[in-house]
Amino acid sequence: MSKKSKKKYYVVWQGQKPGIYETWEECKAQTQGVNGAKYKSYDTLESAEEAYKLGWQMAASMAAPSESPSSILTVNDEGMTVVRPQAGVEPPVLNAIAVDAACSGNPGVMEYQGVFIATRTRLFHFKAPLGTNNIGEFLAIVHGLAYIKKHHLEQMILYSDSVNAMKWVAEKCCRTKLPLTPETEQLYDVIRRAEAWLHNNTYTTEIRKWDTEKWGEIPADFNRK
């Protein structure tokens, strides 16, 4: 991508080591796997420092008015997802799994994750040194389907915000144009295994499109915007 990412500062109130970090990787290292981790990104160091001094609860309450009015999901102090009712908007199912992918460049370092929406608990995560966002979205859905089947959670809904990935899953084929090279050979092996799973398994899980416009960012989002 030619567009340069805007500088962000990450405040960690609850994590391995609370503080202010200048990269997402540093923030993730402090919060990944921490139950009820509390963190947020800010556009300036001054706003991050002020938020850190205020504490999570006060900073979150002050930030709420600036959130998109279409976002109806929030996270309480216990890290649980809470629906903020909005007239005429049917909320998503919280007893469900959400998947999403992120890519630092396209192609670039790619990763995806699956999150249980009600508790924001990460259920699975995968990272590859070179891939694309579309590949990550496709693999995330297949991984989600396999996770649901393995744990006998067929009644759960699986949410994705990628129409393209949902189409690839329905076709049981990852239609990426990423070249097969020594750098991508391992990722292609993962893709082949995902396609084979789709061909060799049946599933009754309903895959639904996450309505970002009405509900805000999908809970599995990597928060890098």
Side-chain angles (χ1 to χ4, degrees):
M1 292 171 60
S2 59
K3 188 176 180 180
K4 190 175 180 180
S5 299
K6 190 176 181 180
K7 175 71 175 177
K8 295 255 186 201
Y9 295 88
Y10 300 85
V11 177
V12 176
W13 290 278
Q14 184 170 321
Q16 299 285 359
K17 185 179 179 182
I20 299 173
Y21 297 88
E22 294 190 3
T23 69
W24 164 246
E25 291 301 322
E26 291 174 313
C27 174
K28 185 172 72 170
Q30 302 304 321
T31 57
Q32 185 173 318
V34 176
N35 188 31
K38 294 176 174 59
Y39 56 94
K40 192 178 189 307
S41 64
Y42 290 86
D43 293 333
T44 67
L45 178 58
E46 292 75 14
S47 59
E49 289 174 339
E50 181 64 22
Y52 184 62
K53 290 177 185 176
L54 288 172
W56 161 256
Q57 192 166 4
M58 182 64 73
S61 65
M62 291 180 66
S66 63
E67 292 177 355
S68 168
S70 63
S71 179
I72 66 171
L73 299 185
T74 59
V75 180
N76 65 18
D77 292 341
E78 287 72 46
M80 302 289 288
T81 300
V82 178
V83 175
R84 184 167 55 201
Q86 190 174 106
V89 177
E90 183 73 22
V93 176
L94 300 189
N95 185 32
I97 294 174
V99 296
D100 198 22
C103 199
S104 302
N106 207 24
V109 177
M110 180 274 291
E111 60 185 313
Y112 69 76
Q113 63 182 353
V115 171
F116 180 54
I117 298 175
T119 63
R120 300 297 174 108
T121 303
R122 176 189 272 182
L123 303 176
F124 52 83
H125 174 256
F126 174 81
K127 190 172 186 177
L130 187 65
T132 68
N133 198 67
N134 281 335
I135 292 174
E137 300 279 10
F138 168 79
L139 293 176
I141 295 177
V142 179
H143 197 150
L145 292 172
Y147 181 94
I148 287 171
K149 186 161 188 174
K150 178 181 178 180
H151 295 279
H152 307 290
L153 302 170
E154 285 80 2
Q155 75 283 2
M156 273 197 177
I157 292 166
L158 182 65
Y159 283 105
S160 169
D161 61 7
S162 173
V163 173
N164 189 62
M166 292 170 68
K167 182 173 182 290
W168 287 0
V169 169
E171 295 171 346
K172 302 181 181 182
C173 181
C174 180
R175 300 193 181 281
T176 181
K177 295 181 180 179
L178 182 70
L180 175 58
T181 67
E183 284 184 291
T184 61
E185 186 175 0
Q186 188 174 0
L187 178 61
Y188 261 91
D189 182 56
V190 177
I191 292 171
R192 293 188 198 101
R193 284 190 278 125
E195 292 174 334
W197 189 94
L198 290 172
H199 283 284
N200 298 328
N201 289 270
T202 58
Y203 59 88
T204 58
T205 303
E206 182 181 356
I207 305 172
R208 291 187 187 177
K209 171 68 170 62
W210 182 266
D211 195 333
T212 305
E213 184 178 345
K214 291 182 179 178
W215 302 334
E217 292 295 341
I218 193 166
D221 182 66
F222 283 88
N223 193 29
R224 297 178 186 171
K225 297 177 178 62

